[in-house]
């Protein structure tokens, strides 16, 4: 498997989901930015089975190369990373109880004492070192290696301390360490050939795998050695791709919780009794991708690409296509708050018309292809926006496998434009890799030396310079206008308040709807 093929799965959100001085980690343990069921402890039942309606199967089981959303959801229940993330996207202790930077390129991590894998074996510093040696081996083509240089050195200092030495400063290192593709693996068992990571999962997380029927579901049971002991005994995962089937299962109580990507899920769930619905902000975002490298493509001309960008009304997309959810965004996801610059090429139809005239495009027409309902709604708004500046757009709905092949697999790509979505992860600079042509696997992406340089600067900037570096890189990406960020992509999480107590974060950057699964509890019968 090539590095680029792995990154394609990691970066392409829709493909991933179907089918983001001394730095100390003593961190806050209290959960901020979280909505919890208001249930008295006396009503909680210890033990029992929680049932999750999961929209998609986990198809890649090795965290080394499985950096796709449907798999990341499962990894983060069975495994743990060194660093965790709270509901405000702040870094907090995970398997590492603390960390510190001794210089701009050196980090020390101290392991939590007494952690064991679900087979009872103690977690060691050797497991951590061997895990990252695996992740950073260029031959493994790991998802993590796009954010942490393969030249990074990892060494054991003592039984509980690990040193990471980076080849250069990195503003993405710590946030990448908090990702689902940076979980710690049972490397003694792997080295001895007692476990095949592509088929088996063995971690330190709250639950461990009891059984799996591909395409149907999973049964996870309490990890008896978990350092985060779950309240429930069992977590049953039912694979349920159909939204209506999950709504029906919530209604009849055959599942306790689920989530939806369709933007009007909150409305669809309004009449389901005893159900609480939370629209969760995510760092992920929708984007309009223009094929700027095709020989006959009108988008080889930057003026045309910029005209398309100026024509887009992001607020209209949010209101009409996404039922008022999400935030208009640039290349740094708006979910990161104040550090995220607003899009540089804001809605301006007059500028769009002037650029088309300058480029000699008086009768521009092209097709926008898309793979599903939410994408189609966005495409319809884009069609209206572009019609207002005299551009004719045809819309083409594609089966997802065909869409992935035409947009992300074929060389050269076989499309004019498409609506897609991308994971932005935990750190503001991480999604910039989408526009880094030395890393991005996308054949439709424009190579621009200045943009490339600004992205690299943003991913290496020290804390005091980070915000300005992010702004400069984001503006350069906007001006390049080949992959145009639109609106952040939220998720709607729903659960039966008469059956289960849950906690759900306000924001998420790891595609981790069940981050609080150890706290989930069934309610006692009335």
């Amino acid at each position: 498997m090539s590095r680029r093929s792995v990154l394609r799965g990691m970066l392409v959100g829709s493909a991933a989901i179907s089918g983001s001085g001394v730095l100390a980690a003593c961190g806050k343990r209290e959960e901020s930015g979280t909505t919890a069921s208001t249930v008295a402890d006396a009503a909680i039942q210890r033990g029992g089975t929680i049932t999750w309606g999961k929209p998609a199967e986990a198809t890649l089981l090795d965290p080394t190369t499985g950096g796709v959303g449907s798999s990341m959801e499962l990894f983060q229940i069975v495994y743990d990373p060194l660093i965790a993330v709270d509901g405000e996207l702040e870094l907090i202790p995970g398997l590492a109880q603390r960390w510190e930077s001794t210089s701009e390129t050196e980090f020390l991590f101290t392991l939590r004492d007494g952690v064991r894998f679900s087979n009872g074996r103690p977690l060691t510093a050797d497991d951590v070192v061997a895990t990252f040696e695996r992740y950073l081996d260029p031959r493994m083509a790991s998802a993590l290696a796009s954010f942490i240089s393969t030249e990074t050195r990892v060494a054991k200092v003592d039984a509980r301390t690990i040193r990471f030495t980076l080849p250069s400063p990195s503003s993405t290192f710590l946030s990448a360490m908090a990702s689902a593709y940076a979980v710690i693996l049972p490397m003694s068992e792997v080295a001895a050939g007692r476990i095949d990571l592509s088929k088996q999962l063995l971690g330190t997380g709250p639950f461990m795998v009891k059984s799996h029927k591909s395409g149907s579901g999973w049964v996870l049971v309490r990890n008896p050695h978990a350092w985060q002991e779950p309240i429930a005994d069992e977590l049953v995962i039912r694979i349920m791709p159909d939204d209506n089937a999950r709504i029906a299962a919530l209604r009849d109580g055959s599942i306790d919780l689920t989530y939806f990507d369709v933007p009007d899920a909150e409305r669809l769930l309004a009449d389901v009794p005893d159900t609480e619905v939370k629209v969760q902000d995510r760092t992920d975002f929708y984007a309009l991708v223009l094929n700027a490298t095709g020989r006959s493509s009108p988008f080889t001309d930057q003026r045309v690409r910029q005209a398309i960008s100026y024509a887009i009304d992001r607020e209209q997309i949010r209101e009409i296509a996404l039922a008022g959810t999400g935030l208009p965004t640039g290349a740094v996801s708006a979910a990161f708050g104040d550090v995220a610059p607003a899009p540089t090429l804001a809605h301006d139809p007059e500028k769009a018309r002037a650029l088309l005239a300058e480029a000699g495009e008086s009768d521009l027409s092209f097709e926008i292809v898309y793979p599903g309902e939410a994408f189609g709604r966005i495409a319809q708004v884009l069609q209206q926006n572009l019609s207002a500046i005299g551009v004719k757009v045809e819309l083409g709905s594609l089966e997802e496998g065909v869409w992935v092949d035409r947009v992300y697999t074929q060389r050269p790509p076989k499309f004019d434009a498409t609506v897609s979505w991308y994971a932005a992860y935990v750190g503001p600079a991480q999604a910039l890799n989408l526009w880094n042509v030395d890393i991005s696997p996308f054949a439709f992406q424009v190579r621009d030396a200045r943009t490339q340089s600004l992205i690299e600067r943003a991913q290496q900037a020290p804390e005091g310079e980070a915000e300005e570096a992010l702004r400069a890189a984001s503006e350069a990406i906007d001006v390049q206008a080949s992959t145009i960020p639109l609106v952040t992509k939220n998720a709607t999480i729903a659960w039966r308040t008469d059956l289960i107590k849950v906690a759900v974060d306000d924001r998420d950057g790891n595609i981790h709807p069940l981050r609080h699964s150890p706290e989930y509890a069934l309610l006692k019968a009335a």
Side-chain angles (χ1 to χ4, degrees), residues 20 23-32 81-94 96-99 107 109 112 170-179 336 425-428 430 507 509-510 515:
S20 302
L23 298 172
C26 298
K28 49 189 175 185
R29 289 303 303 164
E30 69 273 13
E31 304 299 347
S32 61
L82 293 175
I83 302 176
V85 183
D86 70 10
E88 292 294 336
L89 303 183
E90 297 290 338
L91 303 181
I92 59 175
Q97 70 177 33
R98 64 178 179 271
W99 64 91
F107 294 81
F109 288 80
R112 193 179 293 274
S170 170
S171 64
T172 63
F173 173 70
L174 288 176
S175 59
M177 294 288 280
S179 300
F336 289 114
Y425 306 107
V426 175
Q430 284 186 264
R507 291 198 289 177
N510 261 339
R515 187 175 81 83

Side-chain angles (χ1 to χ4, degrees), residues 78-79 84 86 101 115 125 153 175 199 209 221 346 365 375 386 402 434:
V78 176
Y79 297 103
D86 70 10
S101 60
V115 176
R153 300 194 306 276
S175 59
K199 299 177 181 178
V209 177
V221 295
S365 65
F375 305 94
L386 292 165
V402 174
L434 293 162

Side-chain angles (χ1 to χ4, degrees), residues 1-11 16 58-72 75 79 131 134-145 180-183 185 196-199 425:
M1 182 178 288
S2 73
R3 184 163 183 259
R4 284 179 174 251
S5 64
V6 173
L7 288 171
R8 182 179 299 114
M10 181 187 71
L11 295 167
T59 54
L60 298 173
L61 301 186
D62 183 350
T64 313
T65 54
V68 296
S70 56
S71 297
M72 289 166 70
F75 295 161
Y79 297 103
T131 291
R134 176 182 176 88
Y135 286 152
L136 299 178
D137 182 344
R139 296 170 297 178
M140 297 305 297
S142 79
L144 181 65
Y181 42 77
V183 294
L185 307 172
D196 180 347
L197 292 173
S198 68
K199 299 177 181 178
Y425 306 107

Side-chain angles (χ1 to χ4, degrees), residues 149-272:
S149 170
T150 55
E151 297 176 17
T152 296
R153 300 194 306 276
V154 189
K156 174 182 175 179
V157 177
D158 57 39
R160 290 177 54 204
T161 309
I162 304 94
R163 177 187 293 111
F164 288 79
T165 306
L166 283 57
S168 60
S170 170
S171 64
T172 63
F173 173 70
L174 288 176
S175 59
M177 294 288 280
S179 300
Y181 42 77
V183 294
I184 305 305
L185 307 172
M187 292 306 295
S188 291
E189 287 78 0
V190 172
R194 293 195 296 272
I195 183 172
D196 180 347
L197 292 173
S198 68
K199 299 177 181 178
Q200 299 159 281
L201 292 86
L202 173 63
T204 58
F207 292 95
M208 62 184 189
V209 177
K210 178 181 179 182
S211 63
H212 173 219
K213 185 176 180 181
S214 182
S216 176
W218 298 73
V219 176
L220 276 60
V221 295
R222 173 197 302 270
N223 172 3
H225 306 286
W227 63 278
Q228 296 184 96
E229 182 182 4
I231 295 174
D233 289 331
E234 189 174 64
L235 175 62
V236 171
I237 302 173
R238 292 176 55 188
I239 307 302
M240 307 178 71
D242 182 74
D243 291 341
N244 290 325
R246 297 201 306 285
I247 291 173
L250 272 177
R251 187 183 299 277
D252 67 21
S254 57
I255 64 173
D256 297 304
L257 74 156
T258 188
Y259 79 87
F260 301 85
D261 281 326
V262 290
D264 57 353
E266 189 172 18
R267 177 183 61 80
L268 298 175
L269 291 161
D271 67 341
V272 180

Side-chain angles (χ1 to χ4, degrees), residues 248-398:
L250 272 177
R251 187 183 299 277
D252 67 21
S254 57
I255 64 173
D256 297 304
L257 74 156
T258 188
Y259 79 87
F260 301 85
D261 281 326
V262 290
D264 57 353
E266 189 172 18
R267 177 183 61 80
L268 298 175
L269 291 161
D271 67 341
V272 180
D274 301 310
T275 299
E276 185 163 346
V277 178
K278 179 177 179 64
V279 178
Q280 182 185 63
D281 291 333
R282 289 191 169 182
T283 60
D284 310 327
F285 57 85
Y286 292 100
L288 174 64
V289 178
L290 305 178
N291 184 1
T293 59
R295 288 184 179 179
S296 59
S297 170
F299 304 127
T300 56
D301 189 324
Q302 186 179 40
R303 295 169 298 183
V304 176
R305 300 196 305 270
Q306 290 181 349
I308 300 301
S309 188
Y310 275 122
I312 294 170
D313 188 338
R314 291 174 174 83
E315 190 60 37
Q316 195 174 76
I317 291 172
R318 191 185 80 84
E319 289 294 337
I320 296 176
L322 301 180
T325 65
L327 298 167
T329 189
V332 177
S333 174
F336 289 114
D338 292 342
V339 301
T344 307
L345 276 60
H347 182 53
D348 191 332
E350 288 304 316
K351 281 189 178 180
R353 295 187 190 96
L355 282 165
L356 287 179
E358 182 182 328
E361 287 286 357
S362 58
D363 57 351
L364 178 62
S365 65
F366 62 92
E367 180 185 37
I368 298 178
V369 295
Y370 57 88
E373 180 183 351
F375 305 94
R377 295 181 187 182
I378 294 171
Q380 289 174 6
V381 176
L382 291 170
Q383 183 185 48
Q384 295 171 7
N385 290 168
L386 292 165
S387 176
I389 64 166
V391 174
K392 182 179 180 181
V393 173
E394 298 291 334
L395 303 182
S397 176
L398 299 178

Side-chain angles (χ1 to χ4, degrees), residues 8 290-297 300 402-416 441-445:
R8 182 179 299 114
L290 305 178
N291 184 1
T293 59
R295 288 184 179 179
S296 59
S297 170
T300 56
V402 174
W403 175 78
V404 169
D405 181 58
R406 285 179 53 180
V407 174
Y408 294 104
T409 303
Q410 289 194 38
R411 297 292 186 270
K414 297 294 190 297
F415 74 102
D416 296 328
F442 307 147
F444 48 73
Q445 197 68 267

